[in-house]
Amino acid sequence: MSLSSSLEASLLDTQLDKSNVLLLGPTGSGKTLLAKTLAQILDVPFSVSDATPLTQAGYVGEDVEVVIQRLLQSCDYDVARAEQGIVFIDEIDKIARKPDSFSMSKDVSGEGVQQGLLRMLEGTIVTVTDKSGHGSSSGNGSNSGGTGSIAQFPPPGLGPMSHIPPLAGVAPSGSGALRRGNPLSGAFGPGNGMPGNGLGGNGNGSGSGGKGDVYQVDTSNILFILSGAFVGLDRLIMERVAKASIGFGNPVRRVGDTSTPVDLQAMNVPPVSFPSTSSATESEAAPFNPLDYTEPSDLIKFGLIPEFIGRLPVITSVGALSKDALVRVLVEPKNALVRQYEALLGLSGAQLHITRPALLTIAQQAIEKQTGARGLRRIMENLLLEPMFDCPGTSIRYVVVDSEVAAFKKRPLYFSKIQEADVEAAIWDDDRRNGSQPISSSPEERARAQQQGAVTG
């Protein structure tokens, strides 16, 4: 046997294990979207769960097995597909261990949840009980608590009720209805209960009181992606890597400063990535992110137990979105905010035009408020609240938002149908005043600009 064939045989016999991921980053930086897009590309089941309502088994709240149940629901209870899916657990920093070690109460929503997730992250058989009636919604019992088929009364072969002889303990009546007394043995089927009252019947349907279907799911090949903002972790990292501001020549850093870059090479801190020669300028312009230098010791100080961190071999981070990235979020996706408000104003017969400087101003406000991409909708709502009420039933056909409108220095500009030239003049004046490339957010002009770029390219 040659060396290559023996090497291939050994590679085929090698068992590959998964590497769970801990994703750090501020709110609105696209952590959930990143994991969801990964699942769509791989075509695997995907579920999103929140770690906040999780509690230790036996206490009020959701057990950790609910994350596997949501994964089963996402793939229509196909166990084989679920065992190759992705589980995304958000807000994992909220289950950090409480710093108060003298508390008399048990930490069931912090350290208890971490301990409950240990075996699931490493790989184990999780038993999930489905009580929603997915597997047996039709019901097989003849009288399963009033949800199955009701036994025929009187049973076939007994004839009319008037021919049934009176029973002991049952008083006869003129209408033939039975009064309270001893039941008819076998008259109501095998359940010996009244039809439809939910008290009798021993059918195995999925109605009230059913045990539900039980699924056994192996989590050995399920990829777990845990994410959180980890507010305050950057300060712990800077306390570890930053040099003390004592002595001549050392930089003086204010307390809590996490944005000023530090000379990590002089402190023997390994870099996150090595810049290439082709993109050296881009790497130098990249903002400093302390979360890129996260170590397990920092997470232990934050409140995660060592056993939990050991099952997360990949620790990575995403930085806050830049101004240009937020502008792209506003205009490029299929469900971009600018397109949504164009459609809303289009229902009133008006066209929305937002200049390039206005988009940059909106993005800068989102950065200052530290809300990320989620804060863009709040700013857009405040900007376009009045136009959405002013346009219906009026002669307004064009709404222009320039940089001063985006900065809330003046009201949005309204134009009628015959003022199309004034609309273009207002857009070009704002672009020239701010020294940016003239661009409009209307669909027609965006398509025209894309066609011109394709021709010139």
Side-chain angles (χ1 to χ4, degrees):
M1 182 181 293
S2 61
L3 179 61
S4 60
S5 59
S6 61
L7 180 61
E8 293 178 357
S10 62
L11 291 178
L12 292 177
D13 296 336
T14 303
Q15 182 179 359
L16 301 178
D17 294 333
K18 63 178 180 178
S19 297
N20 297 320
V21 180
L22 178 60
L23 188 59
L24 315 176
T27 178
S29 56
K31 299 186 295 294
T32 307
L33 181 61
L34 181 64
K36 186 177 181 180
T37 305
L38 175 63
Q40 291 177 353
I41 295 175
L42 298 178
D43 191 19
V44 294
F46 178 76
S47 68
V48 179
S49 300
D50 196 346
T52 306
L54 298 179
T55 57
Q56 193 174 357
Y59 292 87
V60 177
E62 296 181 353
D63 296 337
V64 294
E65 289 79 7
V66 74
V67 300
I68 304 299
Q69 183 177 3
R70 293 194 179 103
L71 183 65
L72 280 172
Q73 293 175 354
S74 65
C75 60
D76 198 18
Y77 290 87
D78 189 349
V79 178
R81 290 202 65 206
E83 290 179 348
Q84 299 178 354
I86 297 177
V87 173
F88 184 83
I89 304 179
D90 199 5
E91 306 294 343
I92 201 66
D93 55 326
K94 303 304 185 293
I95 64 171
R97 182 170 45 190
K98 294 181 180 180
D100 188 7
S101 59
F102 300 100
S103 178
M104 300 300 295
S105 61
K106 189 175 181 180
D107 190 9
V108 297
S109 60
E111 185 178 357
V113 178
Q114 297 183 42
Q115 295 175 354
L117 288 171
L118 293 180
R119 295 296 300 170
M120 187 181 298
L121 293 176
E122 189 174 7
T124 186
I125 304 296
V126 177
T127 302
V128 177
T129 303
D130 174 35
K131 296 184 179 181
S132 61
H134 175 272
S136 56
S137 59
S138 59
N140 299 325
S142 59
N143 187 23
S144 57
T147 60
S149 59
I150 300 176
Q152 182 180 355
F153 184 79
L158 291 182
M161 287 295 298
S162 59
H163 298 287
I164 299 178
L167 302 176
V170 179
S173 62
S175 60
L178 292 176
R179 296 183 181 179
R180 181 174 300 176
N182 296 333
L184 289 174
S185 177
F188 298 97
N192 295 334
M194 294 297 292
N197 61 359
L199 300 177
N202 54 1
N204 56 355
S206 60
S208 176
K211 295 182 179 180
D213 298 327
V214 179
Y215 299 91
Q216 302 285 339
V217 182
D218 187 6
T219 63
S220 300
N221 295 323
I222 297 178
L223 177 63
F224 288 87
I225 301 178
L226 314 182
S227 75
F230 286 87
V231 178
L233 180 62
D234 51 353
R235 295 187 180 93
L236 298 176
I237 298 172
M238 295 304 297
E239 291 177 359
R240 175 176 56 86
V241 302
K243 187 180 295 184
S245 301
I246 300 177
F248 297 100
N250 289 332
V252 179
R253 303 178 62 88
R254 59 185 177 86
V255 178
D257 184 11
T258 59
S259 58
T260 304
V262 295
D263 190 1
L264 299 174
Q265 186 176 3
M267 302 175 195
N268 295 325
V269 178
V272 179
S273 60
F274 295 94
S276 59
T277 56
S278 60
S279 60
T281 57
E282 297 179 0
S283 62
E284 293 175 358
F288 175 72
N289 185 13
L291 296 179
D292 293 339
Y293 303 91
T294 304
E295 293 291 338
S297 59
D298 303 322
L299 297 173
I300 293 175
K301 291 181 180 179
F302 189 83
L304 300 183
I305 60 178
E307 301 89 343
F308 188 75
I309 301 173
R311 288 163 172 81
L312 300 171
V314 179
I315 301 177
T316 183
S317 64
V318 292
L321 296 179
S322 62
K323 186 186 298 185
D324 294 335
L326 290 174
V327 171
R328 296 181 61 185
V329 171
L330 282 170
V331 297
E332 290 188 7
K334 294 181 179 180
N335 59 339
L337 286 177
V338 173
R339 297 186 181 184
Q340 294 183 28
Y341 287 101
E342 285 175 354
L344 288 174
L345 291 176
L347 298 176
S348 304
Q351 293 184 11
L352 175 63
H353 297 267
I354 303 180
T355 62
R356 174 74 178 183
L359 294 174
L360 293 173
T361 303
I362 295 172
Q364 182 62 33
Q365 293 179 14
I367 294 176
E368 293 175 356
K369 298 179 185 299
Q370 297 181 357
T371 52
R374 290 191 178 94
L376 295 174
R377 178 174 289 275
R378 176 180 177 272
I379 300 174
M380 294 290 291
E381 283 286 344
N382 294 333
L383 280 176
L384 301 176
L385 181 62
E386 292 186 1
M388 285 189 292
F389 282 95
D390 295 341
C391 291
T394 62
S395 60
I396 299 175
R397 290 297 175 266
Y398 302 99
V399 178
V400 176
V401 176
D402 57 11
S403 58
E404 294 184 354
V405 176
F408 297 95
K409 294 182 180 180
K410 64 179 182 180
R411 297 168 61 90
L413 306 178
Y414 297 153
F415 298 93
S416 61
K417 185 177 181 180
I418 61 175
Q419 294 178 309
E420 186 175 357
D422 297 335
V423 173
E424 297 181 358
I427 295 174
W428 281 88
D429 289 342
D430 187 62
D431 290 330
R432 284 195 300 266
R433 186 169 57 251
N434 293 273
S436 62
Q437 183 181 1
I439 183 172
S440 178
S441 63
S442 62
E444 295 82 2
E445 298 188 10
R446 278 203 303 264
R448 191 183 310 120
Q450 292 177 357
Q451 292 178 358
Q452 293 177 357
V455 172
T456 57

